[in-house]
């Protein structure tokens, strides 16, 4: 049977209800979400997602990183499954849609297939990747990185949060250590629907982003060591101020990103000074530099320039300095065949679309190393994300999910 026609659409109201239901779990303080990975709220969200998948007739598998794989059988059990999904964990001041749209959009696509009795030759698997955000346990995309063989499971299990709790202990505490070997699953293809998290699609008036590439990223954790002393009685020329070093390096990161325009970004998002007392010169500062570019050469030049500038600032201020990579992936080129399936679906459905490079990192960036992968994006209001005010329209959510449904059906081969 040929792929279904353009009249096949998902149930937009049911999708929106599911997103709003999930948003009640791990509520933020300003209308968004704080459902950080491996917290009790994450566990509650997982249970809700599992109940929905099982109600849709899917069987749930879980791997040793806690990633959830809900399978809808195909007519050919030998055929490799087509995967679609994203992540349910959020930033501490996250929005309701980052990651969630991709997981619940995939569930809605399956629910729509069930409504219409659509059969596919390839099985279909809806996925919730553990710890995409990398806030509580750095780096980001931790579980998909282990799945892709880029990160070791022992490394992941040993990652610690700010309170010294380890990933492995917390995964065990919430009861989500699965029995599957991470990465043992083989995929025919993987699609990830995600909000853009930037301003381009809305500004261009396009409903769909056909994601051809993804930016590369470095996270560099910097530790500066100075000397704690009294902020009142220590003469200025006797201070060894780690906080001042952090401020100057933060400024240097911004200047270097600006000097490397276009296609370069840089900031410091996480920063701690010690002892963090109002009347003590910080003796230590620990912070993470986040730099990104779609061009590998530019990304590496920025890293070199920042490391040189940071070393000079430390020398100028008499500070000790350590710089440790805390996360990295090269720029990504998604699979041409999968990208074409996304573009075909947008065209068939009559949605305005444009090619786009993902500014944010996603699980698809790692899975692209082990399976043909592509992403679909929908706009978000003012391009705002990683903010509780993150907003999309039900129409944008439905358009993205319609495209996901059709791209997956084209790839999974509708039969009967
Ligand atoms: O950092 C990222 O790009 C993603 O939101 N984890
Ligand atoms: Mn995300
Ligand atoms: Mn995010």
């Amino acid at each position: 049977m040929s792929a279904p026609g353009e009249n096949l659409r998902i149930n937009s109201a049911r999708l929106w209800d599911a997103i709003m239901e999930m948003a009640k779990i791990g509520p933020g303080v300003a209308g968004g979400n704080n459902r950080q990975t491996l917290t009790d709220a994450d566990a509650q969200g997982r249970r809700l997602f599992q109940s929905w998948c099982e109600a849709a007739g899917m069987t749930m598998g879980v791997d040793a990183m806690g990633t959830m794989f809900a399978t809808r059988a195909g007519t050919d059990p030998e055929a490799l499954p087509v995967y679609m999904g994203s992540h349910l964990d959020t930033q501490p001041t996250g929005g309701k849609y980052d990651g969630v749209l991709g997981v619940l959009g995939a569930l809605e696509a399956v629910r729509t297939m069930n409504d219409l009795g659509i059969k596919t030759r390839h099985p279909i698997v809806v996925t919730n990747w553990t710890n995409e955000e990398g806030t509580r346990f750095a780096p980001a995309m931790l579980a998909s990185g282990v799945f892709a063989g880029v990160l070791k499971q022992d490394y992941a299990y040993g990652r610690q949060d700010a309170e010294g709790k380890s990933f492995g202990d917390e995964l065990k505490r919430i009861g989500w250590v699965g029995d599957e070997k991470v990465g043992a699953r083989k995929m025919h293809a993987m699609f990830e629907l995600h909000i853009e998290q930037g301003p381009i699609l809305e500004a261009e008036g396009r409903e769909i982003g056909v994601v051809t590439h993804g930016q590369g990223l470095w996270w560099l954790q910097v530790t500066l060591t100075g000397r704690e002393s009294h902020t009142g009685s220590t003469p200025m020329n006797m201070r060894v101020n780690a906080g001042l070093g952090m401020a100057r390096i933060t400024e240097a990161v911004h200047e270097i990103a600006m000097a490397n325009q276009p296609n370069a970004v840089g900031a410091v998002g996480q920063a701690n000074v010690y002892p963090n007392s109002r009347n003590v010169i910080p003796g230590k500062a620990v912070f993470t530099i986040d730099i990104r570019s779609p061009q590998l050469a530019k990304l590496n030049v920025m890293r070199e320039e920042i490391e040189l500038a940071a070393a000079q600032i430390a020398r100028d201020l008499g500070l000790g300095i350590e710089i440790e990579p805390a996360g990295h992936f090269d720029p990504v080129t998604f699979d041409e065949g999968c990208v074409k399936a996304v573009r075909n679906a947008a065209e068939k459905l009559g949605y305005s679309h444009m090619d786009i490079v993902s500014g944010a990192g996603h699980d698809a960036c790692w899975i692209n190393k082990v399976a043909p992968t592509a992403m679909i994006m929908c706009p978000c209001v003012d391009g705002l994300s990683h903010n509780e005010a993150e907003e999309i329209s039900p129409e944008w959510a439905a358009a993205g999910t319609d495209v996901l449904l059709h791209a997956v059906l084209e790839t999974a081969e509708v039969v009967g």
Side-chain angles (χ1 to χ4, degrees):
M1 177 180 163
S2 63
E6 67 280 2
N7 296 326
L8 172 66
R9 307 287 165 133
I10 57 105
N11 181 327
S12 172
R14 183 171 57 191
L15 168 64
W16 198 253
D17 287 350
I19 293 170
M20 292 305 124
E21 197 59 30
M22 184 58 73
K24 291 175 188 165
I25 299 175
V29 295
N33 275 111
N34 178 7
R35 193 172 53 245
Q36 294 184 63
T37 196
L38 310 189
T39 57
D40 293 339
D42 181 23
Q44 194 185 340
R46 287 163 171 267
R47 287 194 294 273
L48 177 61
F49 172 59
Q50 174 156 4
S51 69
W52 284 341
C53 290
E54 289 170 349
M58 291 193 271
T59 49
M60 187 62 75
V62 183
D63 74 11
M65 284 293 290
T67 295
M68 301 170 75
F69 301 99
T71 299
R72 180 181 196 261
T75 57
D76 175 358
E78 299 310 307
L80 290 181
V82 173
Y83 285 67
M84 54 177 165
S86 190
H87 62 93
L88 291 173
D89 67 306
T90 75
Q91 287 284 332
T93 54
K96 299 191 281 283
Y97 312 97
D98 172 0
V100 175
L101 175 64
V103 177
L104 301 187
L107 171 64
E108 173 51 37
V110 165
R111 285 171 163 172
T112 301
M113 292 176 207
N114 291 347
D115 290 347
L116 300 167
I118 292 174
K119 291 188 177 60
T120 56
R121 186 170 79 80
H122 294 262
I124 285 172
V125 178
V126 175
T127 307
N128 169 32
W129 295 101
T130 302
N131 190 32
E132 188 281 341
E133 291 295 357
T135 304
R136 189 180 174 202
F137 300 103
M141 297 103 79
L142 188 60
S144 50
V146 176
F147 186 95
V150 177
L151 302 171
K152 294 277 178 252
Q153 185 173 310
D154 289 349
Y155 163 80
Y157 270 44
R159 304 304 288 157
Q160 293 192 351
D161 68 6
E163 291 163 20
K165 292 178 183 164
S166 76
F167 178 97
D169 289 348
E170 283 296 280
L171 185 65
K172 201 164 157 202
R173 182 187 68 80
I174 65 165
W176 279 91
V177 179
D179 55 5
E180 289 188 15
K181 181 177 176 334
V182 182
R185 286 173 171 263
K186 299 303 168 215
M187 300 177 171
H188 179 59
M190 207 285 271
F191 292 90
E192 179 169 4
L193 166 63
H194 205 288
I195 63 173
E196 179 198 339
Q197 300 183 291
I200 299 167
L201 293 175
E202 186 185 40
E204 297 292 329
R206 307 297 171 89
E207 295 158 304
I208 297 293
V210 180
V211 187
T212 56
H213 299 80
Q215 278 202 115
L217 161 152
W218 274 108
W219 279 0
L220 303 172
Q221 177 163 303
V222 182
T223 302
L224 294 175
T225 312
R227 188 179 62 226
E228 288 152 27
S229 60
H230 199 296
T231 49
S233 52
T234 310
M236 290 305 281
N237 65 351
M238 287 177 64
R239 297 179 177 208
V240 191
N241 186 340
L244 178 59
M246 181 172 77
R248 288 188 182 174
I249 292 172
T250 302
E251 172 71 20
V253 169
H254 178 81
E255 291 307 319
I256 288 167
M258 293 309 288
N260 279 280
Q261 291 305 307
N263 302 322
V265 293
V268 170
Q270 179 201 41
N272 292 292
V273 292
Y274 302 89
N276 200 25
S277 164
R278 289 178 184 76
N279 43 11
V280 176
I281 301 284
K284 184 170 140 186
V286 183
F287 53 102
T288 303
I289 295 168
D290 179 322
I291 51 173
R292 310 194 191 199
S293 173
Q295 292 150 286
L296 184 57
K298 182 166 282 194
L299 183 64
N300 289 333
V301 160
M302 282 204 288
R303 177 181 174 185
E304 278 162 35
E305 289 176 356
I306 285 169
E307 289 183 338
L308 286 171
Q312 186 55 51
I313 289 165
R315 271 192 298 277
D316 294 347
L317 296 174
L319 297 168
I321 183 167
E322 266 176 67
I323 301 182
E324 184 201 354
H328 172 62
F329 54 86
D330 285 348
V332 171
T333 301
F334 287 113
D335 174 79
E336 262 183 48
C338 291
V339 170
K340 191 162 169 290
V342 170
R343 195 177 291 112
N344 289 348
E347 277 163 356
K348 176 166 74 170
L349 294 161
Y351 288 124
S352 58
H353 58 88
M354 61 183 282
D355 287 3
I356 193 168
V357 174
S358 175
H362 302 283
D363 295 307
C365 297
W366 280 141
I367 301 309
N368 187 57
K369 283 183 169 297
V370 293
T373 300
M375 293 188 72
I376 303 150
M377 282 187 173
C378 79
C380 49
V381 175
D382 299 336
L384 187 65
S385 182
H386 285 192
N387 182 309
E388 292 205 45
E390 177 185 278
E391 202 49 72
I392 65 173
S393 72
E395 293 71 27
W396 285 342
T401 307
D402 282 337
V403 170
L404 175 69
L405 171 63
H406 281 261
V408 165
L409 288 178
E410 179 182 315
T411 310
E413 298 169 31
V414 176
V415 296

